[in-house]
Short mmCIF file of all heavy atoms in Angstrom, two decimals:
data_model
loop_
_atom_site.label_atom_id
_atom_site.label_comp_id
_atom_site.label_asym_id
_atom_site.label_seq_id
_atom_site.Cartn_x
_atom_site.Cartn_y
_atom_site.Cartn_z
N GLU A 203 18.28 56.75 -0.14
CA GLU A 203 19.47 56.01 0.19
C GLU A 203 19.99 56.62 1.54
O GLU A 203 19.65 57.74 1.94
CB GLU A 203 20.55 56.25 -0.86
CG GLU A 203 20.86 57.74 -1.24
CD GLU A 203 21.73 57.81 -2.34
OE1 GLU A 203 22.03 56.77 -2.99
OE2 GLU A 203 22.24 58.91 -2.58
N PRO A 204 20.81 55.86 2.28
CA PRO A 204 21.28 56.28 3.63
C PRO A 204 22.13 57.50 3.51
O PRO A 204 22.18 58.37 4.40
CB PRO A 204 22.09 55.08 4.12
CG PRO A 204 21.58 53.90 3.45
CD PRO A 204 21.11 54.45 2.02
N ALA A 205 22.86 57.65 2.40
CA ALA A 205 23.81 58.86 2.27
C ALA A 205 23.00 60.12 2.21
O ALA A 205 23.59 61.20 2.46
CB ALA A 205 24.58 58.71 1.01
N ALA A 206 21.68 60.06 1.93
CA ALA A 206 20.93 61.30 1.92
C ALA A 206 20.42 61.82 3.26
O ALA A 206 19.91 62.92 3.46
CB ALA A 206 19.67 61.05 0.98
N VAL A 207 20.64 60.96 4.31
CA VAL A 207 20.22 61.36 5.66
C VAL A 207 21.25 62.29 6.32
O VAL A 207 22.38 61.92 6.32
CB VAL A 207 19.98 60.04 6.54
CG1 VAL A 207 19.65 60.41 7.94
CG2 VAL A 207 19.02 59.14 5.87
N ARG A 208 20.78 63.41 6.74
CA ARG A 208 21.76 64.43 7.21
C ARG A 208 21.93 64.38 8.73
O ARG A 208 22.97 64.78 9.21
CB ARG A 208 21.22 65.88 6.84
CG ARG A 208 21.16 66.11 5.33
CD ARG A 208 22.51 65.82 4.57
NE ARG A 208 22.42 65.78 3.19
CZ ARG A 208 23.14 65.15 2.37
NH1 ARG A 208 24.05 64.29 2.87
NH2 ARG A 208 22.98 65.15 1.12
N GLN A 209 20.92 64.01 9.53
CA GLN A 209 21.07 63.93 10.94
C GLN A 209 21.46 62.65 11.40
O GLN A 209 20.99 61.56 10.78
CB GLN A 209 19.79 64.38 11.63
CG GLN A 209 19.47 65.81 11.46
CD GLN A 209 18.19 66.15 12.26
OE1 GLN A 209 17.05 66.13 11.64
NE2 GLN A 209 18.28 66.52 13.51
N PRO A 210 22.33 62.35 12.43
CA PRO A 210 22.76 61.10 12.84
C PRO A 210 21.58 60.24 13.35
O PRO A 210 20.48 60.87 13.81
CB PRO A 210 23.73 61.38 14.00
CG PRO A 210 24.19 62.77 13.79
CD PRO A 210 23.02 63.51 13.09
N VAL A 211 21.66 58.96 13.34
CA VAL A 211 20.64 58.05 13.94
C VAL A 211 21.44 57.26 15.03
O VAL A 211 22.60 57.02 14.97
CB VAL A 211 20.06 57.08 12.86
CG1 VAL A 211 19.33 57.90 11.81
CG2 VAL A 211 21.14 56.22 12.21
N SER A 212 20.59 56.76 15.95
CA SER A 212 21.21 55.97 17.01
C SER A 212 21.21 54.45 16.75
O SER A 212 21.96 53.70 17.45
CB SER A 212 20.47 56.21 18.37
OG SER A 212 19.18 55.79 18.29
N ALA A 213 20.40 53.95 15.77
CA ALA A 213 20.36 52.57 15.48
C ALA A 213 19.89 52.35 14.11
O ALA A 213 19.14 53.23 13.52
CB ALA A 213 19.40 51.86 16.46
N VAL A 214 20.32 51.26 13.44
CA VAL A 214 19.93 50.88 12.14
C VAL A 214 19.53 49.42 12.00
O VAL A 214 20.16 48.55 12.59
CB VAL A 214 21.16 51.11 11.15
CG1 VAL A 214 20.79 50.66 9.67
CG2 VAL A 214 21.54 52.64 11.17
N VAL A 215 18.38 49.27 11.36
CA VAL A 215 17.94 47.95 10.89
C VAL A 215 18.41 47.81 9.40
O VAL A 215 17.66 48.41 8.57
CB VAL A 215 16.51 47.66 11.07
CG1 VAL A 215 16.08 46.26 10.60
CG2 VAL A 215 16.11 47.89 12.53
N ASP A 216 19.44 47.04 9.04
CA ASP A 216 19.85 47.00 7.68
C ASP A 216 19.34 45.76 7.00
O ASP A 216 19.75 44.60 7.42
CB ASP A 216 21.39 47.12 7.55
CG ASP A 216 21.81 47.07 6.11
OD1 ASP A 216 21.27 47.82 5.28
OD2 ASP A 216 22.72 46.18 5.78
N ASN A 217 18.58 45.90 5.95
CA ASN A 217 18.12 44.73 5.19
C ASN A 217 18.65 44.64 3.81
O ASN A 217 18.38 43.78 3.02
CB ASN A 217 16.53 44.85 5.00
CG ASN A 217 15.90 44.84 6.34
OD1 ASN A 217 15.87 43.83 7.02
ND2 ASN A 217 15.16 45.92 6.66
N VAL A 218 19.70 45.45 3.50
CA VAL A 218 20.21 45.63 2.13
C VAL A 218 21.65 45.19 1.96
O VAL A 218 22.06 44.49 1.02
CB VAL A 218 20.05 47.05 1.67
CG1 VAL A 218 20.56 47.21 0.15
CG2 VAL A 218 18.59 47.49 1.72
N GLY A 219 22.55 45.63 2.96
CA GLY A 219 23.94 45.33 2.84
C GLY A 219 24.61 46.12 1.81
O GLY A 219 24.12 47.18 1.27
N GLY A 220 25.86 45.73 1.38
CA GLY A 220 26.62 46.47 0.47
C GLY A 220 26.87 47.90 0.84
O GLY A 220 27.10 48.27 1.95
N GLN A 221 26.82 48.84 -0.17
CA GLN A 221 27.13 50.24 0.15
C GLN A 221 26.06 50.85 1.05
O GLN A 221 26.39 51.81 1.74
CB GLN A 221 27.08 51.01 -1.16
CG GLN A 221 27.64 52.48 -1.09
CD GLN A 221 28.99 52.57 -0.58
OE1 GLN A 221 29.87 51.77 -0.99
NE2 GLN A 221 29.30 53.51 0.35
N TYR A 222 24.84 50.39 1.06
CA TYR A 222 23.90 50.80 1.95
C TYR A 222 24.29 50.64 3.42
O TYR A 222 24.10 51.48 4.25
CB TYR A 222 22.48 50.14 1.68
CG TYR A 222 21.60 50.78 0.74
CD1 TYR A 222 22.09 51.20 -0.54
CD2 TYR A 222 20.29 51.11 1.00
CE1 TYR A 222 21.31 51.76 -1.46
CE2 TYR A 222 19.49 51.73 -0.01
CZ TYR A 222 19.97 52.06 -1.20
OH TYR A 222 19.12 52.68 -2.06
N LEU A 223 24.87 49.48 3.68
CA LEU A 223 25.35 49.25 5.06
C LEU A 223 26.48 50.19 5.37
O LEU A 223 26.47 50.76 6.54
CB LEU A 223 25.79 47.78 5.19
CG LEU A 223 26.27 47.34 6.64
CD1 LEU A 223 26.04 45.80 6.78
CD2 LEU A 223 27.76 47.66 6.90
N VAL A 224 27.36 50.40 4.52
CA VAL A 224 28.54 51.30 4.69
C VAL A 224 28.04 52.73 4.99
O VAL A 224 28.37 53.35 6.01
CB VAL A 224 29.40 51.37 3.46
CG1 VAL A 224 30.54 52.40 3.65
CG2 VAL A 224 30.02 49.93 3.28
N ASP A 225 27.07 53.24 4.19
CA ASP A 225 26.57 54.56 4.42
C ASP A 225 25.66 54.67 5.61
O ASP A 225 25.69 55.76 6.32
CB ASP A 225 25.86 55.01 3.17
CG ASP A 225 26.67 55.20 1.94
OD1 ASP A 225 27.87 55.29 2.12
OD2 ASP A 225 26.15 55.12 0.82
N ALA A 226 24.90 53.65 5.93
CA ALA A 226 24.06 53.65 7.14
C ALA A 226 24.95 53.67 8.35
O ALA A 226 24.67 54.36 9.35
CB ALA A 226 23.24 52.43 7.15
N PHE A 227 26.09 52.86 8.31
CA PHE A 227 27.00 52.82 9.49
C PHE A 227 27.58 54.20 9.65
O PHE A 227 27.78 54.71 10.81
CB PHE A 227 28.14 51.80 9.28
CG PHE A 227 29.03 51.64 10.38
CD1 PHE A 227 28.71 50.93 11.50
CD2 PHE A 227 30.28 52.35 10.39
CE1 PHE A 227 29.52 50.76 12.64
CE2 PHE A 227 31.10 52.14 11.51
CZ PHE A 227 30.82 51.39 12.58
N ALA A 228 27.88 54.98 8.58
CA ALA A 228 28.46 56.24 8.72
C ALA A 228 27.47 57.22 9.31
O ALA A 228 27.91 58.30 9.86
CB ALA A 228 28.90 56.71 7.27
N SER A 229 26.19 56.99 9.23
CA SER A 229 25.23 57.89 9.74
C SER A 229 24.99 57.72 11.32
O SER A 229 24.26 58.49 11.92
CB SER A 229 23.87 57.69 9.13
OG SER A 229 23.24 56.51 9.51
N LEU A 230 25.59 56.64 11.87
CA LEU A 230 25.40 56.43 13.35
C LEU A 230 26.04 57.42 14.15
O LEU A 230 27.09 57.87 13.87
CB LEU A 230 25.93 55.01 13.68
CG LEU A 230 25.17 53.77 13.26
CD1 LEU A 230 25.96 52.53 13.53
CD2 LEU A 230 23.89 53.74 13.99
N SER A 231 25.37 57.73 15.26
CA SER A 231 25.99 58.69 16.22
C SER A 231 26.88 57.85 17.19
O SER A 231 26.92 56.63 17.03
CB SER A 231 24.88 59.39 17.10
OG SER A 231 24.05 58.30 17.64
N ALA A 232 27.67 58.47 18.05
CA ALA A 232 28.55 57.79 18.93
C ALA A 232 27.77 56.76 19.77
O ALA A 232 26.71 57.08 20.29
CB ALA A 232 29.24 58.77 19.85
N GLY A 233 28.33 55.61 19.82
CA GLY A 233 27.73 54.46 20.51
C GLY A 233 26.57 53.82 19.82
O GLY A 233 25.98 52.92 20.40
N GLY A 234 26.33 54.28 18.55
CA GLY A 234 25.21 53.69 17.84
C GLY A 234 25.40 52.25 17.30
O GLY A 234 26.64 51.85 17.30
N THR A 235 24.35 51.51 17.04
CA THR A 235 24.44 50.21 16.65
C THR A 235 23.78 49.87 15.36
O THR A 235 22.59 50.32 15.13
CB THR A 235 23.88 49.18 17.81
OG1 THR A 235 24.52 49.56 18.92
CG2 THR A 235 24.10 47.78 17.41
N LEU A 236 24.35 49.17 14.46
CA LEU A 236 23.78 48.67 13.19
C LEU A 236 23.50 47.17 13.32
O LEU A 236 24.49 46.42 13.70
CB LEU A 236 24.58 49.00 11.94
CG LEU A 236 24.06 48.61 10.59
CD1 LEU A 236 24.56 49.63 9.60
CD2 LEU A 236 24.52 47.26 10.18
N PHE A 237 22.31 46.69 12.95
CA PHE A 237 22.00 45.23 13.04
C PHE A 237 21.86 44.76 11.58
O PHE A 237 21.05 45.32 10.80
CB PHE A 237 20.66 45.01 13.80
CG PHE A 237 20.86 45.20 15.29
CD1 PHE A 237 20.69 46.40 15.89
CD2 PHE A 237 21.21 44.05 16.05
CE1 PHE A 237 20.92 46.56 17.25
CE2 PHE A 237 21.38 44.16 17.39
CZ PHE A 237 21.17 45.50 18.03
N CYS A 238 22.66 43.78 11.16
CA CYS A 238 22.60 43.14 9.84
C CYS A 238 21.50 42.22 9.87
O CYS A 238 21.63 41.12 10.43
CB CYS A 238 23.88 42.53 9.54
SG CYS A 238 25.35 43.66 9.48
N VAL A 239 20.37 42.45 9.12
CA VAL A 239 19.22 41.47 9.18
C VAL A 239 19.12 40.83 7.80
O VAL A 239 18.81 39.59 7.73
CB VAL A 239 17.91 42.26 9.42
CG1 VAL A 239 16.73 41.31 9.42
CG2 VAL A 239 18.10 43.01 10.80
N GLY A 240 19.42 41.54 6.75
CA GLY A 240 19.32 40.93 5.39
C GLY A 240 20.36 41.51 4.45
O GLY A 240 21.16 42.38 4.84
N ARG A 241 20.43 40.95 3.22
CA ARG A 241 21.39 41.43 2.21
C ARG A 241 20.76 41.26 0.84
O ARG A 241 21.25 40.54 0.01
CB ARG A 241 22.67 40.50 2.32
CG ARG A 241 23.89 40.97 1.53
CD ARG A 241 25.10 40.15 1.92
NE ARG A 241 25.06 38.86 1.41
CZ ARG A 241 25.73 38.51 0.25
NH1 ARG A 241 26.47 39.37 -0.40
NH2 ARG A 241 25.69 37.23 -0.13
N SER A 242 19.75 42.12 0.56
CA SER A 242 18.98 42.03 -0.63
C SER A 242 19.84 42.50 -1.74
O SER A 242 19.59 42.15 -2.91
CB SER A 242 17.80 42.85 -0.56
OG SER A 242 18.03 44.26 -0.31
N SER A 243 20.91 43.36 -1.52
CA SER A 243 21.73 43.83 -2.63
C SER A 243 22.65 42.72 -3.18
O SER A 243 23.24 42.85 -4.22
CB SER A 243 22.58 45.01 -2.13
OG SER A 243 23.59 44.49 -1.19
N GLU A 244 22.86 41.69 -2.28
CA GLU A 244 23.79 40.53 -2.71
C GLU A 244 25.22 41.11 -2.85
O GLU A 244 26.11 40.37 -3.35
CB GLU A 244 23.32 39.86 -4.04
CG GLU A 244 21.99 39.18 -3.85
CD GLU A 244 22.08 37.88 -3.05
OE1 GLU A 244 23.01 37.13 -3.23
OE2 GLU A 244 21.23 37.78 -2.16
N ALA A 245 25.53 42.31 -2.39
CA ALA A 245 26.86 42.91 -2.52
C ALA A 245 27.62 42.73 -1.21
O ALA A 245 27.10 42.70 -0.16
CB ALA A 245 26.76 44.32 -2.85
N ASP A 246 28.99 42.57 -1.45
CA ASP A 246 29.84 42.49 -0.25
C ASP A 246 30.04 43.88 0.39
O ASP A 246 29.75 44.92 -0.27
CB ASP A 246 31.26 41.99 -0.71
CG ASP A 246 31.18 40.59 -1.12
OD1 ASP A 246 30.32 39.75 -0.64
OD2 ASP A 246 32.01 40.16 -1.96
N VAL A 247 30.40 43.89 1.67
CA VAL A 247 30.66 45.10 2.39
C VAL A 247 32.11 45.40 2.60
O VAL A 247 32.86 44.42 2.96
CB VAL A 247 29.93 45.01 3.76
CG1 VAL A 247 30.03 46.20 4.60
CG2 VAL A 247 28.40 44.79 3.55
N MET A 248 32.52 46.63 2.42
CA MET A 248 33.89 47.04 2.67
C MET A 248 33.97 48.13 3.48
O MET A 248 33.52 49.29 3.21
CB MET A 248 34.60 47.34 1.32
CG MET A 248 34.74 46.23 0.29
SD MET A 248 35.81 44.93 0.87
CE MET A 248 37.41 45.76 0.83
N LEU A 249 34.44 47.98 4.78
CA LEU A 249 34.55 49.01 5.82
C LEU A 249 36.04 49.19 6.06
O LEU A 249 36.69 48.16 6.41
CB LEU A 249 33.83 48.72 7.02
CG LEU A 249 32.26 48.87 6.99
CD1 LEU A 249 31.64 48.23 8.20
CD2 LEU A 249 31.93 50.34 6.92
N SER A 250 36.52 50.41 6.13
CA SER A 250 37.97 50.60 6.37
C SER A 250 38.24 50.33 7.82
O SER A 250 37.34 50.47 8.78
CB SER A 250 38.38 51.98 6.05
OG SER A 250 37.82 52.94 6.96
N THR A 251 39.52 50.03 8.14
CA THR A 251 39.88 49.77 9.53
C THR A 251 39.75 51.00 10.39
O THR A 251 39.26 50.96 11.57
CB THR A 251 41.33 49.28 9.68
OG1 THR A 251 41.44 48.11 8.84
CG2 THR A 251 41.77 48.97 11.03
#
Side-chain angles (χ1 to χ4, degrees):
E203 56 185 8
V207 179
R208 299 303 174 209
Q209 290 182 268
V211 298
S212 62
V214 175
V215 179
D216 179 52
N217 297 295
V218 180
Q221 190 61 41
Y222 271 50
L223 185 151
V224 175
D225 294 339
F227 185 79
S229 74
L230 284 171
S231 56
T235 305
L236 182 148
F237 288 86
C238 300
V239 181
R241 192 168 71 99
S242 64
S243 69
E244 295 290 311
D246 292 331
V247 177
M248 296 294 291
L249 285 167
S250 71
T251 302

